[in-house]
Amino acid sequence: MSETGGVPEIVPEFVLPPPTGAYRRLNPTTKLLIALAEALIAFGVRGWSGPVVVLAIVLASGARAGVGARLVPFLLATIPLVASILLVNTFLYPGATDRIFVLGPLAPTWTGLVFAGQATLRVIAFAMSAAVLGLTTGPDELVADLERRGMGRRTAFVLSATVRSVPRVLERVREITEAQRARGLDTEGRIWRRVRGLVPLAGPLLFGALTDVEEQTMALEARGFSAPARRAVIRTFPDSTPQRALRLLLAAGTPLVLLVSVIGMLGFLP
Amino acid sequence: MTSLATESLVFVYPDGTRALDGVSLQIGGGEAVGIIGQNGSGKSTLIRHFNGLLRATEGRVLLDGQNVNERHVAELARIVAVTFQNPDRQIFAGRIGSEVAFGPRNLGVRGTDLEQRVEEALKAVDLGPRGAANPYDLGFSQRKLLALASVIAMETPVVILDEPTTGQDARGLERVRSIVRRLVGAGRTVVVTSHDMRFVAETMERVVVLRDGQVILDGPPEEVFAADRWPLLGTTHVEAPWAAQEGARLGLGSTPTEASLFTALQAWGGQV
Amino acid sequence: MSLSLRSVTYRYAGSSRRVLRSLDLSIERGEVLGVVGANDAGKSTLCLVAAGLAPTTIGGRLDGEVAIDGAPSAGARPHELAQRCGVLFQNPVTQLSGTTATVWEEIAFGPRNLGLALEAIVERVAWALSLLNIDVLAPRDPARLSGGQAQLVALASVLALRPAYLVLDEPTSQLDPQGTQLAGEAFARLTRSGEVGILLVEHKTDLLERLADRVAVLAEGELVAVGPAAGVLADERLEAWGVDPPARVRLARAAERAGVQLPVSAA
Ligand SMILES: Nc1ncnc2c1ncn2[C@@H]1O[C@H](COP(=O)(O)OP(=O)(O)OP(=O)(O)O)[C@@H](O)[C@H]1O
Ligand SMILES: [Mg+2]
């Protein structure tokens, strides 16, 4: 495989737009492995260190890739989950007795609060890492690269569907807010207005996502998507020895870190 | 009555596509204007400037002489209502009734007033009994009509429709036509894009022709669809309506509508 | 050789309404069969059923039989159906795969799925682009096109599958007049070879008058008329079925009502 990636000569050259930026230019499979490793470590390493380290790395790579601002909607999207995690654990952590205060039936505990804080960070780290992958990887790139590496189309598609859903959600959010603003819902200006504008989004987003699935399936089937044939390779992506080494490291290192963490050898970490 | 204007409006999409290339247009309050032109000539791009969904790259967009640039979309929505070409981009509610109620409610309409508006708007597009249904149970052409209903329910002084005729059958076309006429009759300013030349000639008082983001013709249907304009219309992939072509072929002058063709034929006394 | 529907009745999943009722219809290779009818008459459903997507992909209940060149569509795998019969949806935006960065790749998506060699794919994409005269759109992002451009791209991606039958749900609804004309010429060219049969749902009866060999009228899920285009399009009942007759016919009727004699050329 070429170090720079490219397209066969008979394909018009505009088909592979030159990737720009160091992070974007990484091979799609490398980016997928990075995201997977980040997710596993965020959830697998106990205590604060796992999620904190991952979140730092994710945010740094997001900033490096220039997608910082576009991560915000995904952060907002975690709010319902995060809110429920915080409430449930802080107030209802089973067996915890170290109460912060007691106010009628409300008795938040420190144990619960710490646990909730960690869980929140894990969720956010995971959401951000998926978002960075989705925002830096072109829609068909991952399928193309995985298929070229011999992965079955269904598997490749399921993996990449997750990645594709990221820009899709953004697009749909944009469409719905446009439609709502055009009919008088004010979501511009003050931050409070913007946040309030997000509330009427939740329903249609979920609902739209469901109806989308059927049409999308029809559209794909109508174009022979489920044919078992092997697809011709149109584009290849840049790869390099350091990247191969990194992937090897991630593939071997992540399970190791998890193992060490599970048997408690990382007990010295916060 | 609210007037619209653009001054040397240029719009470039983020990917570099120059969709509008210096459009200067004055639309008086209460006018009925049709915008036509080839696919990709900039019709949809142009109309999305009037409610601020797109912001001018260069030039200005004016509403009653005031620059729209400093105003929020939500604020402009009180004055200008715009339908989207693709209804699925516009529809988001889970029930037809709430979809139509969304706009007027944002404008502060409540109670029986709101109910009445929703009912009337749905009736105008033949969806009266289906208020409780899910928009996705409607066919495409009916979703277009729903998008139209949810915009007319806002009762704004300016109404802009992006290809309301797409996918409509004879009855649907008649609905759209009568809605436009009623709006114009009530003193609203109405702007409609369409590829249906018969509809444009029969419904609009003035026709603006776009090509590659520029206005190449502007006038009443008799003028724009007159035979000597056809070569120019052809450069933006437009053909005059059938009635105009037939009238010219028979030497009856400019007959853009079937009614005008028929009158001309009658005057001829059947002896062409 | 034909795509045939025999006493077809169809209900969507979770609904008892018969959207299509005892329909008998066939599309021969080499012909354009126009289908007209009011909104909600069942035209789009007919498209999904003829192409085999309903019930194979979206479920629902089908009674009767759909067969392509004698082979029943029931039980066929979706990708086999896609090769026999291509389908264009009414809203082109829902048709696009959403996974490609350029129009060129979007059109290549179908042929690639079928496992064609790269040379064949390149050739098909070029053919489809030039058939619809949209070569200039090839490098563009399919998600950032005007409505009509998106419709042309969706159409090109169906044509590139080169199926023997095409089911097109209002393929020209968002096209400008010349684009409509051009698409019509492309359909005519495809069927002229005798290799391709087209079912064309259209409100533009003026286009069907020029293009269609036969026309079928659908009203409330039933086939109420089918026959040679000229005859059906001049049928007295067309307006009652919710269909605008071609301009020529409208004028002739108006003249008759007013007792005006038309010049020969207009009649
Ligand atoms: N989101 C976008 N990003 C980039 N370019 C775009 C976008 N939307 C439209 N364009 C391009 O801008 C130009 C004008 O598009 P516009 O949608 O205004 O055309 P239109 O006249 O409405 O066409 P149609 O008749 O097909 O609806 C076209 O070249 C189109 O491809
Ligand atoms: Mg448009």
Side-chain angles (χ1 to χ4, degrees):
Chain A
M1 173 174 209
S2 83
E3 293 286 307
T4 53
V7 293
E9 214 145 83
I10 55 170
V11 173
E13 71 272 15
F14 54 70
V15 162
L16 188 70
T20 49
Y23 196 82
R24 263 165 218 265
R25 226 182 0 248
L26 287 179
N27 183 281
T29 305
T30 308
K31 283 183 278 189
L32 175 70
L33 275 179
I34 293 178
L36 281 177
E38 286 168 344
L40 287 173
I41 291 179
F43 283 105
V45 175
R46 296 180 193 175
W48 293 98
S49 24
V52 166
V53 168
V54 167
L55 194 57
I57 294 177
V58 171
L59 292 180
S61 51
R64 184 77 207 273
V67 295
R70 287 201 287 159
L71 292 176
V72 175
F74 293 92
L75 190 61
L76 293 173
T78 63
I79 287 179
L81 186 57
V82 164
S84 70
I85 288 177
L86 283 173
L87 288 176
V88 169
N89 289 299
T90 312
F91 291 101
L92 303 171
Y93 197 84
T97 49
D98 46 351
R99 302 206 163 128
I100 305 173
F101 60 80
V102 179
L103 192 80
L106 297 181
T109 60
W110 289 111
T111 320
L113 188 64
V114 168
F115 183 87
Q118 289 174 353
T120 297
L121 278 186
R122 290 182 218 281
V123 167
I124 292 178
F126 172 71
M128 294 299 96
S129 109
V132 168
L133 176 65
L135 291 172
T136 58
T137 312
D140 202 25
E141 289 177 10
L142 192 59
V143 198
D145 199 55
L146 290 173
E147 273 188 1
R148 195 194 53 77
R149 293 173 194 276
M151 186 180 272
R153 185 183 319 169
R154 282 276 164 198
T155 328
F157 191 77
V158 168
L159 266 178
S160 81
T162 326
V163 178
R164 277 182 317 132
S165 68
V166 171
R168 276 255 174 101
V169 166
L170 274 192
E171 185 72 2
R172 189 64 193 149
V173 166
R174 202 184 51 81
E175 280 175 18
I176 299 173
T177 28
E178 272 199 355
Q180 296 183 336
R181 282 159 65 203
R183 278 188 276 151
L185 185 72
D186 204 348
T187 59
E188 287 167 282
R190 301 251 172 100
I191 183 80
W192 163 236
R193 277 222 187 105
R194 291 180 192 220
V195 174
R196 203 182 46 184
L198 289 167
V199 177
L201 266 176
L205 248 185
L206 200 70
F207 172 74
L210 291 178
T211 48
D212 261 11
V213 174
E214 180 164 277
E215 291 199 326
Q216 183 73 33
T217 319
M218 270 209 296
L220 289 173
E221 296 290 20
R223 294 170 70 190
F225 180 73
S226 58
R230 198 167 161 72
R231 299 203 285 178
V233 173
I234 291 191
R235 8 159 95 202
T236 55
F237 298 91
D239 208 350
S240 60
T241 316
Q243 279 194 59
R244 273 184 279 266
L246 175 64
R247 288 201 298 268
L248 214 64
L249 187 73
L250 288 171
T254 311
L256 201 68
V257 171
L258 292 183
L259 188 73
V260 167
S261 163
V262 167
I263 60 178
M265 278 171 65
L266 292 181
F268 60 92
L269 288 177
Chain B
M1 292 214 263
T2 307
S3 68
L4 303 172
T6 64
E7 289 174 356
S8 318
L9 175 60
V10 172
F11 183 77
V12 183
Y13 279 103
D15 68 354
T17 308
R18 198 177 176 87
L20 296 178
D21 190 16
V23 172
S24 297
L25 207 55
Q26 300 270 349
I27 297 175
E31 261 194 288
V33 180
I35 300 186
I36 61 174
Q38 127 183 53
N39 290 130
S41 56
K43 303 180 293 296
S44 301
T45 308
L46 173 63
I47 60 178
R48 288 162 76 88
H49 279 82
F50 291 117
N51 67 344
L53 279 180
L54 294 177
R55 303 288 183 173
T57 310
E58 286 166 37
R60 298 200 302 166
V61 180
L62 306 170
L63 210 71
D64 266 342
Q66 282 189 351
N67 196 333
V68 302
N69 231 354
E70 296 91 48
R71 301 163 76 177
H72 288 185
V73 175
E75 199 187 324
L76 293 167
R78 299 178 170 272
I79 309 165
V80 186
V82 183
T83 64
F84 295 25
Q85 184 165 355
N86 179 358
D88 296 344
R89 294 233 160 126
Q90 185 177 329
I91 295 168
F92 55 83
R95 284 183 47 226
I96 290 174
S98 23
E99 182 69 35
V100 178
F102 184 85
R105 183 174 292 134
N106 283 326
L107 304 189
V109 184
R110 294 285 186 280
T112 48
D113 222 17
L114 182 62
E115 277 165 33
Q116 199 177 337
R117 279 209 201 181
V118 172
E119 198 183 307
E120 271 170 21
L122 284 176
K123 209 167 125 223
V125 297
D126 264 353
L127 288 174
R130 310 207 46 185
N134 185 316
Y136 281 89
D137 291 339
L138 299 176
F140 180 82
S141 53
Q142 289 179 315
R143 291 211 292 281
K144 286 258 355 167
L145 291 174
L146 170 59
L148 173 59
S150 57
V151 153
I152 54 178
M154 294 174 71
E155 298 188 358
T156 49
V158 181
V159 178
I160 303 184
L161 310 175
D162 202 356
E163 299 205 22
T165 55
T166 302
Q168 297 306 324
D169 62 0
R171 187 181 167 101
L173 278 180
E174 198 41 57
R175 288 287 174 196
V176 177
R177 198 174 290 140
S178 70
I179 286 173
V180 171
R181 291 205 176 121
R182 196 149 35 92
L183 290 170
V184 174
R188 317 287 187 75
T189 309
V190 182
V191 179
V192 178
T193 75
S194 180
H195 290 298
D196 184 338
M197 296 306 141
R198 174 182 169 216
F199 173 87
V200 171
E202 285 178 1
T203 319
M204 313 314 290
E205 297 156 356
R206 173 178 164 197
V207 183
V208 171
V209 188
L210 289 186
R211 182 186 64 203
D212 298 334
Q214 293 180 332
V215 176
I216 56 165
L217 265 176
D218 183 350
E222 304 77 57
E223 233 172 270
V224 167
F225 293 125
D228 57 341
R229 306 301 169 119
W230 295 354
L232 191 56
L233 289 177
T235 62
T236 187
H237 294 190
V238 169
E239 280 167 8
W242 179 85
Q245 297 187 28
E246 198 64 13
R249 216 162 50 80
L250 297 170
L252 298 173
S254 183
T255 55
T257 63
E258 285 170 22
S260 61
L261 172 63
F262 195 67
T263 317
L265 279 170
Q266 264 178 320
W268 217 253
Q271 30 207 302
V272 180
Chain C
M1 300 234 266
S2 65
L3 190 169
S4 63
L5 288 78
R6 257 172 260 133
S7 44
V8 160
T9 296
Y10 180 76
R11 302 168 174 87
Y12 279 100
S15 153
S16 59
R17 181 168 156 229
R18 290 175 301 156
V19 182
L20 300 177
R21 306 175 188 202
S22 331
L23 224 70
D24 278 292
L25 191 64
S26 76
I27 302 115
E28 307 293 328
R29 289 206 197 188
E31 79 165 340
V32 175
L33 172 73
V35 173
V36 296
N39 291 348
D40 220 17
K43 304 187 298 298
S44 296
T45 309
L46 172 63
C47 290
L48 298 182
V49 167
L53 285 170
T56 305
T57 302
I58 60 161
R61 177 164 156 213
L62 180 90
D63 299 308
E65 188 188 59
V66 179
I68 298 180
D69 294 339
S73 296
R77 309 255 293 282
H79 65 93
E80 293 163 354
L81 291 171
Q83 264 161 298
R84 294 185 216 158
C85 178
V87 56
L88 179 78
F89 301 153
Q90 190 163 19
N91 186 356
V93 176
T94 58
Q95 179 124 27
L96 301 177
S97 71
T99 64
T100 56
T102 62
V103 165
W104 194 94
E105 287 163 280
E106 183 64 32
I107 300 175
F109 180 81
R112 281 184 71 213
N113 287 335
L114 302 184
L116 296 180
L118 193 56
E119 289 72 25
I121 294 172
V122 171
E123 189 253 306
R124 283 196 183 193
V125 176
W127 170 80
L129 284 168
S130 80
L131 192 63
L132 297 175
N133 197 19
I134 50 170
D135 302 75
V136 290
L137 296 181
R140 300 277 306 270
D141 175 352
R144 307 196 186 292
L145 297 172
S146 81
Q149 289 167 337
Q151 190 161 39
L152 286 165
V153 170
L155 182 57
S157 9
V158 175
L159 296 180
L161 290 162
R162 297 249 182 119
Y165 298 93
L166 286 164
V167 169
L168 308 175
D169 196 354
E170 296 191 45
T172 70
S173 63
Q174 302 191 49
L175 302 189
D176 58 45
Q178 270 183 34
T180 303
Q181 190 83 12
L182 194 76
E185 281 160 24
F187 302 152
R189 207 171 318 152
L190 284 170
T191 48
R192 212 173 295 136
S193 66
E195 299 289 303
V196 178
I198 298 181
L199 185 155
L200 177 63
V201 173
E202 256 306 339
H203 285 305
K204 298 177 183 168
T205 42
D206 286 309
L207 177 67
L208 290 181
E209 192 181 37
R210 270 172 299 176
L211 183 65
D213 300 287
R214 292 188 302 144
V215 170
V217 186
L218 213 55
E220 292 176 15
E222 277 177 78
L223 198 63
V224 290
V226 59
V232 173
L233 293 175
D235 194 303
E236 298 285 336
R237 297 164 292 177
L238 216 50
E239 274 162 313
W241 289 324
V243 178
D244 251 337
R248 211 172 299 280
V249 176
R250 283 199 301 268
L251 182 68
R253 290 216 184 122
E256 206 181 294
R257 274 197 300 271
V260 176
Q261 202 191 341
L262 288 183
V264 181
S265 57

